[in-house]
Amino acid sequence: MLLKTKLATVAIITLAIFAELAPALKINPINLANPNHSKAAAMIPPNNQSDVDARLVAANTKFGFNLFNTLSKQQPNQNIFISPTSVALALSMTYNGVSGETKKEMTKVLEFTGMTPQEINAANQGLQNSLQKVDPNIQVLIANSLWAQQGFSLKPEFLQTNQKYYNANLTELNFSNPQALSIINNWVSQKTQGKIDKIVDKISPDGVLFLINAIYFKGNWKTPFDKSQTANKTFSLTDGSSKQHPMMSQKGIYGYYETDTFQAVSLPYGKEGALAMYIFLPNSNSNVAALLQQLTPENWNEWMQEFTNVQGTIEIPRFKIEYEVELENTLTALGMAGIFDISKADFSAMTDTKVAVDSVKHKTFVEVNEEGTEAAAVTSISIGRSRSSFQMNVNRPFFCVIQDHTTGTILFMGIIVDPQ
């Protein structure tokens, strides 16, 4: 069971690449003359060492599919590439600071029901450790950090929990100093091997804390593609048009699964094939939207059991994509609205100051070529405090100006001593 949970976590990430790219893919007719119907043999090799709690992986799988499906509806016919693992880890650190109704909302959306906070944190620790040692020939690097405004008070238990289970150390900075941006972004660049060089564009005057997760992945194909076989071929787009694009081609024995609505193939990484990219290609009379309607944890688990070793030919595009999204609307649609509302957010387990989430920014990079795949993801959760409220009763003579903000030109000005 734990073996399969590890695979599912990685597979969620890889599926996200192709749910919008699928119309551009081409899996040639598969030769089924000599299939090897040894199920699971095409998936991953035996591995009996794992500290992953299956409940957390099931929660992450369901949350990842919900997040991706909602995002794909909000951004139809666009390339989408996310790391639900990165988003879940950043939100899990944030979860350690919430209470009351805010905690209930996050528990429901993150599918944490039935697990205690200690179990969630311990499971996340086990997951991170497991992913980073899955295969010595594959790089999976995960890093977490906290960045706080100097002098802002955070509760010791919140800091200790995130340091213990996520290795997220706190760095205090003067957010009004322009160097603060560079320091945070330099950390991001370092942890993603330079593939993502910036996650924070500006710091709000009310900003007090950033919780950041970074993931870096680099894996060579178990069987690399021959560069001499790569050629420009037709790449079909969702609007019915097409373009010429470099397509990599290969023949071999692959983990393969086919239904009346899609084809799917597994392309393993590393010597042992402990991680793999799963490509799902809707049939020509179907589309990605229809495929996503079938994307449930139940179907996913069933599909994973149906891959068998089959001789075939595959063509996939060589590509590089950078993707960025603000997830406030997506998380709100899923039911996590309270963390963004200063009048409702309860972060009393984090600080005694009234705060709320300003943004959940997610940024990714992926490059797929003949050698393999390199990918990175960063999720930044910005926490800000409410401004002191004010009351201004204009009930006596006043001065007013009408100014053009673009040029700074003052069009009108006046003193009103007796409103008519």
Side-chain angles (χ1 to χ4, degrees), residues 405-417:
H405 285 163
T406 302
T407 64
T409 301
I410 296 176
L411 297 176
F412 302 93
M413 68 175 64
I415 295 175
I416 308 300
V417 298

Side-chain angles (χ1 to χ4, degrees), residues 18-27 79 233-238 241 243 245-247 279-282 288 315-319:
F18 290 97
E20 287 298 332
L21 289 175
L25 299 172
K26 179 180 179 183
I27 300 179
N79 289 332
K233 296 187 178 182
T234 301
F235 182 106
S236 300
L237 302 174
T238 55
S241 64
K243 69 175 184 179
H245 188 84
M247 299 290 288
I279 303 174
F280 287 73
L281 178 66
V288 170
E315 291 182 354
I316 66 172
R318 188 178 65 199
F319 63 91

Side-chain angles (χ1 to χ4, degrees), residues 93-132:
M93 290 193 293
T94 308
Y95 184 77
N96 288 318
V98 297
S99 301
E101 290 301 316
T102 304
K103 188 170 186 176
K104 290 180 182 178
E105 275 191 1
M106 293 191 72
T107 300
K108 184 176 181 180
V109 174
L110 292 171
E111 305 292 340
F112 285 162
T113 302
M115 298 182 71
T116 67
Q118 197 281 331
E119 288 174 332
I120 295 165
N121 289 320
N124 271 319
Q125 183 181 47
L127 174 65
Q128 294 175 88
N129 290 339
S130 182
L131 288 173
Q132 293 183 93

Side-chain angles (χ1 to χ4, degrees), residues 205-246:
D206 303 315
V208 294
L209 179 68
F210 290 94
L211 303 95
I212 301 179
N213 166 271
I215 295 179
Y216 174 78
F217 167 81
K218 186 173 184 179
N220 289 338
W221 303 120
K222 187 174 183 179
T223 305
F225 287 79
D226 184 349
K227 289 184 179 180
S228 68
Q229 298 299 310
T230 300
N232 284 336
K233 296 187 178 182
T234 301
F235 182 106
S236 300
L237 302 174
T238 55
D239 62 3
S241 64
S242 63
K243 69 175 184 179
Q244 294 296 299
H245 188 84

Side-chain angles (χ1 to χ4, degrees), residues 148-162:
Q149 167 64 35
Q150 281 181 349
F152 183 72
S153 179
L154 293 164
K155 294 190 174 179
E157 185 176 355
F158 169 76
L159 295 174
Q160 291 164 6
T161 299
N162 282 322

Side-chain angles (χ1 to χ4, degrees), residues 359-371:
S359 72
V360 179
K361 189 174 180 181
H362 188 61
K363 204 168 185 178
T364 59
F365 165 92
V366 61
E367 181 174 9
V368 175
N369 56 32
E370 290 84 355
E371 289 81 22

